[in-house]
Amino acid sequence: RLDDFAGAEPAFEQALKSTGLPSRDRLPARFLLAVSKMNLGKWADAGAIFEDLHVRYPVLAPWHAYYAARCRLRRGDATGALA
């Protein structure tokens, strides 16, 4: 679904609801869901996922922090973005 964020968002949401998705794939799928939401302008939804992932998925923590800050900035929360 390269660059098809409108199609990717529901596909990732469905995959995350599925019991067939292995647990090792759930956090990466949540990251890609958040990227999809961010690219659709759903700043609050995407930011909440990135902030949760920052704690729960340390492998990509710098990226989660970066994208969470971008989402906060887009929502007009410059102070939160810096934090």
Side-chain angles (χ1 to χ4, degrees):
R1 298 235 180 229
L2 184 63
D3 293 328
D4 177 16
F5 300 110
E9 180 191 21
F12 281 117
E13 286 177 340
Q14 183 61 37
L16 286 163
K17 290 177 187 174
S18 167
T19 57
L21 187 65
S23 61
R24 71 176 184 275
D25 294 338
R26 291 194 173 278
L27 293 176
R30 287 198 72 220
F31 174 74
L32 294 172
L33 171 62
V35 169
S36 298
K37 287 181 178 292
M38 180 180 67
N39 281 286
L40 292 171
K42 297 180 179 183
W43 308 113
D45 293 343
I49 296 170
F50 285 127
E51 289 179 18
D52 178 62
L53 288 172
H54 186 263
V55 175
R56 295 181 56 216
Y57 190 28
V59 171
L60 297 178
W63 287 104
H64 301 145
Y66 170 72
Y67 286 130
R70 280 186 62 191
C71 290
R72 282 188 176 261
L73 194 57
R74 290 291 192 147
R75 290 179 14 228
D77 181 8
T79 303
L82 288 172

